C-alpha cells in the first residue's frame, strides 16, 4: 500500500501523514509522561501511588485496604495547616432533652437505662431524702453507690459521659428524681 | 503526624432578662450556635428550669433558689445543649438574668 506524498523524514503534520491502524490483537502499549484528562464515572484501573489534585465535585474513593488511602484534607482546617496555634476544633452539642420523673423507692431501682446515644444527663433529687446513685446495673444500696445526692440537690454526669445504666435508692420512698437526658 | 484538637471556645456573651412568670415562658430559644448558657434567678421566688419545652413544677431539670437570702440560684447549662430552655417561677416576681455564649 502506497500513500502520497511520501514522507521520507518520518513524523510530519497530519495532512502529510499516513493513517495507522492498530492491530485487533495488539498487546498493551506503554504510555509514559504526564497524562491530563477530565474523568467522570468510574476509573477502571488502580492508582498505585501519587497524588490527585483539584477535586472540585463530590468524589467517592473506595479504600481497598486499611492503610492504602491518605487524604491531605485531614491535615488542614480553614485552609491552614493544623498546628498548636491553629488547632483542629471538634464540636459536640446536644439538641434534644428528655425529662422523666422517677418516683423515689427505698429499694434499688433503675434511674436511667443504658443509652449509647446519651450526650449528657442531669439529676435533680426532688425528695426530702438522700438519693444513692450507682453507675451500673448492680443493686444500689446505702453502702454500694457512686454518688450521694442530697435532698433538693442537683448532679450531672462528667465528660466523657457515662452511657450505661444508673440505679438508685432513697432512705425512704419520698418524692422523685427528675432526670434529664440529652441526645 | 500529631493532631492538636481543641474544643470550640465562646467569645460572645449575649445577655437578656426574662420577667418572672407563674406560667411557663421561654428562657432561651433553640440556637445551633450556642456553646453555653448561664441562668441567674434574680427573683424571690424559686425558678423551675427545664431543658426542653413546657416546664412545670413537676416537669423540670433543676430548681434555682430565690434570692431571698441575698443570692439567687445560678445554673450553667452543660454539654453544649442547643435546644429550647423553658421555665416558670413559684410566683410572678423578679427576673431571670440570662447569658448565652456563642
Amino acid at each position: 500500500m502506497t500513500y502520497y506524498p511520501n514522507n521520507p523524514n518520518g513524523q510530519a503534520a497530519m495532512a502529510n501523514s499516513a493513517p495507522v491502524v492498530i492491530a485487533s490483537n495488539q498487546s498493551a502499549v506503554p504510555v509514559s509522561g504526564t497524562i491530563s484528562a477530565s474523568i467522570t464515572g468510574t476509573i477502571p484501573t488502580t492508582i498505585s501511588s501519587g497524588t490527585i489534585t483539584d477535586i472540585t465535585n463530590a468524589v467517592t474513593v473506595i479504600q481497598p485496604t486499611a492503610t492504602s488511602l491518605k487524604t491531605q484534607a485531614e491535615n488542614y482546617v480553614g485552609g491552614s495547616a493544623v498546628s498548636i496555634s491553629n488547632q483542629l476544633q471538634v464540636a459536640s452539642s446536644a439538641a434534644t432533652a428528655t425529662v422523666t420523673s422517677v418516683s423515689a423507692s427505698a429499694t434499688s431501682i433503675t434511674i436511667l437505662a443504658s443509652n449509647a446515644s446519651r450526650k449528657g444527663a442531669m439529676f435533680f433529687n426532688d425528695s426530702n431524702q438522700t438519693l444513692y446513685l450507682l453507675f451500673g446495673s448492680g443493686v444500689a444500696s446505702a453502702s454500694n453507690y457512686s454518688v450521694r445526692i442530697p435532698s433538693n440537690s442537683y448532679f450531672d454526669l462528667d465528660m466523657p459521659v457515662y452511657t450505661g445504666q444508673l440505679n438508685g435508692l432513697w432512705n425512704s420512698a419520698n418524692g422523685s428524681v427528675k432526670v434529664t437526658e440529652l441526645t | 503526624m500529631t493532631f492538636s484538637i481543641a474544643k470550640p471556645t465562646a467569645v460572645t456573651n449575649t445577655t437578656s432578662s426574662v420577667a418572672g412568670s407563674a406560667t411557663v415562658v421561654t428562657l432561651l430559644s433553640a440556637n445551633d450556635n450556642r456553646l453555653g448558657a448561664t441562668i441567674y434567678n434574680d427573683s424571690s421566688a424559686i425558678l423551675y428550669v427545664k431543658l426542653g419545652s413546657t416546664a412545670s413544677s413537676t416537669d423540670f431539670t433543676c430548681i434555682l433558689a430565690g434570692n431571698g437570702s441575698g443570692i439567687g440560684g445560678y445554673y450553667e447549662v452543660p454539654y453544649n445543649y442547643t435546644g429550647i430552655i423553658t421555665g416558670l417561677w413559684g410566683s410572678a416576681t423578679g427576673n431571670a438574668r440570662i447569658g448565652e455564649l456563642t
Side-chain angles (χ1 to χ4, degrees):
Chain A
M1 185 180 296
T2 302
Y3 284 86
Y4 293 99
N6 288 322
N7 180 9
N9 298 319
Q11 190 177 41
M14 285 192 296
N16 298 321
S17 299
V20 175
V21 175
I22 296 177
S24 60
N25 62 344
Q26 174 66 53
S27 57
V29 178
V31 177
S32 61
T34 301
I35 301 172
S36 177
S38 178
I39 302 171
T40 58
T42 301
I43 304 173
T45 186
T46 299
I47 300 173
S48 59
S49 64
T51 302
I52 301 173
T53 62
D54 298 331
I55 297 174
T56 56
N57 296 310
V59 175
T60 299
V61 179
I62 299 172
Q63 180 182 7
T65 67
T67 59
S68 62
L69 177 64
K70 294 180 179 179
T71 169
Q72 198 172 42
E74 68 188 16
N75 297 338
Y76 286 78
V77 53
S80 301
V82 172
S83 68
I84 193 65
S85 60
N86 187 21
Q87 295 173 309
L88 184 65
Q89 296 190 348
V90 178
S92 175
S93 61
T96 302
T98 304
V99 177
T100 56
S101 181
V102 179
S103 295
S105 167
T107 57
S108 181
I109 58 173
T110 297
I111 303 297
L112 189 60
S114 175
N115 183 356
S117 300
R118 183 185 303 151
K119 293 182 177 178
M122 299 85 108
F123 306 85
F124 189 90
N125 182 21
D126 192 22
S127 166
N128 61 15
Q129 300 294 312
T130 296
L131 166 59
Y132 299 87
L133 188 64
L134 173 68
F135 288 33
S137 56
V139 178
S141 71
S143 60
N144 183 35
Y145 59 88
S146 302
V147 61
R148 290 170 60 164
I149 307 177
S151 169
N152 292 315
S153 296
Y154 171 89
F155 171 75
D156 59 35
L157 302 181
D158 280 338
M159 300 285 280
V161 173
Y162 169 72
T163 60
Q165 181 172 325
L166 292 107
N167 288 349
L169 84 163
W170 288 254
N171 286 326
S172 64
N174 171 273
S176 63
V177 60
K178 309 303 183 187
V179 181
T180 303
E181 184 175 51
L182 303 184
T183 53
Chain B
M1 177 174 184
T2 300
F3 284 105
S4 180
I5 299 177
K7 294 180 68 175
T9 55
V11 295
T12 302
N13 180 30
T14 303
T15 59
S16 60
S17 292
V18 176
S21 169
T23 57
V24 63
V25 293
T26 296
L27 300 178
L28 275 176
S29 299
N31 181 357
D32 289 342
N33 295 320
R34 183 190 305 147
L35 294 173
T38 61
I39 303 171
Y40 175 72
N41 184 24
D42 192 14
S43 167
S44 59
I46 61 172
L47 168 58
Y48 299 90
V49 176
K50 180 182 178 183
L51 305 193
S53 302
T54 63
S56 74
S57 61
T58 59
D59 184 13
F60 56 86
T61 296
C62 65
I63 299 174
L64 302 188
N67 61 8
S69 59
I71 300 176
Y74 171 80
Y75 182 58
E76 292 182 355
V77 178
Y79 310 116
N80 293 117
Y81 173 69
T82 60
I84 189 173
I85 300 173
T86 58
L88 79 161
W89 284 258
S91 62
T93 181
N95 292 273
R97 311 299 182 187
I98 297 170
E100 184 172 52
L101 307 177
T102 54

